[in-house]
Amino acid sequence: MESRKLLKIIGTLGVAAAIAAGTGAGTATAEQAPAEVYSQITAADIADPTAILPVDSADSGEIGALQTVEGAIGWFRARDGSTEHDGYCERAVRLAWNRATHHASAIDHWRSSDGARHTGANPPRGAFVFWNISSFGHVGLSDGDGGVWATSVNGRIGHVGLHYFANYLGWKPGNSN
């Protein structure tokens, strides 16, 4: 019986303290950050610093930190098997690189002055790799070892050899512009 009274008193004091803190009475208190602004950094974030970058920040109009080659490739790796971006290869590489620059299609990106075109068969790690497979073209990211991460790999994001897609055009350096 005595323990119940003690718990009730402690509970009442806790409520009174919360009310005082909310009204500004008593000592100064720190305000908690809104949930959409604050995010706890976990051990996984420390192990993979690229995970801290917002997934769709380039798509939302907010441009964050510049992306790295490993971060861009990691973006694709984290979505291996996803169908979310199938048919939207240009959008996928833009999001992976956290780019502000938009192109209507992969072929428009290839034809643009946005980066020097190279036709060699050894694109460096993180480079945009282009194919002329339709009127829109296709683009993926090089792994630097003869493979690419791309959408539309059996209808999903996947990792395949450079010549998985027909009509290779070449590559442009990857970047977060």
Side-chain angles (χ1 to χ4, degrees):
M1 181 78 162
E2 291 298 317
S3 62
R4 276 189 171 161
K5 284 183 182 177
L6 184 58
L7 288 173
K8 189 172 184 178
I9 292 169
I10 291 171
T12 303
L13 289 173
V15 170
I19 291 170
T23 61
T27 59
T29 60
E31 290 185 30
Q32 185 176 2
E36 66 272 8
V37 174
Y38 176 76
S39 177
Q40 181 71 35
I41 296 177
T42 66
D45 295 328
I46 294 167
D48 181 11
T50 61
I52 296 172
L53 288 172
V55 173
D56 287 334
S57 65
D59 200 42
S60 68
E62 298 176 21
I63 304 305
L66 293 178
Q67 181 63 289
T68 65
V69 168
E70 295 311 312
I73 291 172
W75 186 94
F76 270 92
R77 189 178 301 118
R79 289 159 180 79
D80 190 13
S82 170
T83 59
E84 181 181 357
H85 300 286
D86 194 43
Y88 297 96
C89 59
E90 179 63 30
R91 181 176 189 267
V93 297
R94 177 174 52 84
L95 293 174
W97 266 107
N98 199 24
R99 289 172 54 97
T101 303
H102 291 232
H103 296 286
S105 67
I107 205 71
D108 287 345
H109 186 173
W110 172 250
R111 293 175 180 158
S112 76
S113 61
D114 178 12
R117 287 188 292 268
H118 302 273
T119 57
N122 296 312
R125 189 166 177 81
F128 300 111
V129 182
F130 298 89
W131 298 269
N132 188 14
I133 63 171
S134 70
S135 60
F136 301 107
H138 191 59
V139 62
L141 292 185
S142 170
D143 68 3
D145 290 323
V148 292
W149 284 95
T151 63
S152 302
V153 175
N154 293 320
R156 304 176 183 285
I157 288 178
H159 184 254
V160 293
L162 181 66
H163 297 292
Y164 175 85
F165 300 103
N167 303 317
Y168 172 74
L169 291 171
W171 60 272
K172 288 184 170 188
N175 60 35
S176 285
N177 68 1

